[in-house]
Amino acid sequence: MNGLDGVKKVVVIGLGMTGLSVVSHLLRQPDEFDIKVIDTRPTPPGQDKLPPHVALCSGGWNMDWLLTADLIVASPGIALATPALVAAAEAGIEIVGDIELFARAVNKPVVAITGSNGKSTVTSLVGEMAREAGINVGVGGNIGFAALDMLAQDHDLYVLELSSFQLETTSSLQLKAAVYLNLSEDHMDRYVGLEDYSQAKMRIFEHALLAVYNRDDLATCPKAISGEMISFGFDAAEYGLVTVEGEEYLAVAQQPVMATGDIALVGRHNVANSLAALALADAVGIDHLAVCRALRRYNGLAHRCQLVASSHDVRWVNDSKATNLASTLAALKGLNLAGKLHLLMGGDGKGADFSELQPVLADLNVQLYCYGRDGRHFASLVENPLSVETMEQAMIIAAKAAQAGDMILLSPACASFDQFPNFMARGDAFVALATELQNTVSGAN
């Protein structure tokens, strides 16, 4: 059952990984489809992987193809307000995305995650929890593997990260559970204000048996749902936090599950992410022993508050993906350390105003290391900053100064282009040098 009865002519909009996954999915079906691909880029990525019998129009639109199609499958990056798609919709042609095709074909349980921040972390974390429980799980969507490609692997559980763009063209996705993590301003070039953006994300709850929202961010709470609803947050209710003998624990209905201090992920925002993941794990029957093993082991996606080295009770954390102020603020807010934070900041600041960091830094025991082209813009945020030319110089000084209980954190709040090709290369350099330097740290009190 592929949900494509009566469809013969399919036009795929946008090539790349998603478009290729759509073509491959259609070719796996028992029915034969007349498949055509349109990509407005002159040289679309992946065109060399397109089967020779699938026609490609590149560098512009082919309205004859669009207006004679039975079904249009649009990549998430193509807005439904695009004039060519508006014309097709007005002609009565159905427009869906790859997630809708997935929804019509999947026959195993699915959970899904959306939100402005933390989607990838929670998606990956739930996948790790499932693997710890011995479940054959597929993890993808807006992260890693295209959803349709995973169907060919016949997993027993699917965990999907879904963006607002993907949800716009999804209408029948049946979910065991869905979570809306948080809302902050983003993609305002595509949406008519924050409420329009949020409503696109709310579509994740339309056919969910369990809706999970963030009670510390009530913009994520659905107004009307067909299934059950539960929340996570930093108080003791539902999925929340309790204190036992002076130690904080993740809890379900006030029953302790695991000490937050044992979570490998760094930062207060990742405590919230862990609660959300726990709620989804419970919804699909993943036992708490597997959940706790995953939380103790999983140290995050590369370059996102990723614990990369630990020696002499000094932790090295790579948050190279923090290329703007908001990302660094998320990493710093609620950071709870026994010792001092050695914070590395700098690079290409893109003209940003970093003054919002000052009150957050004032609440931390921090030594700030300013480096790179715009490192000087951070020097006024704290007393006694250290200014150096390169990230490597800052790391060497920090390694010599670090004591037991300290953290050395790269969260630059800047792009990397003054010294590195991209944030990945910057993060890789941090990881390599941290691995080398961790054994030079004395850790003495």
Side-chain angles (χ1 to χ4, degrees), residues 69-80:
D70 297 311
L71 180 71
I72 294 171
V73 186
S75 290
I78 310 297
L80 292 176

Side-chain angles (χ1 to χ4, degrees), residues 132-164:
E132 285 287 348
I135 297 171
N136 176 14
V137 62
V139 179
N142 195 48
I143 178 179
F145 296 102
L148 289 170
D149 285 344
M150 294 193 298
L151 283 178
Q153 307 301 315
D154 194 28
H155 296 287
D156 295 321
L157 171 68
Y158 295 92
V159 183
L160 300 182
E161 174 187 324
L162 298 179
S163 69
S164 58

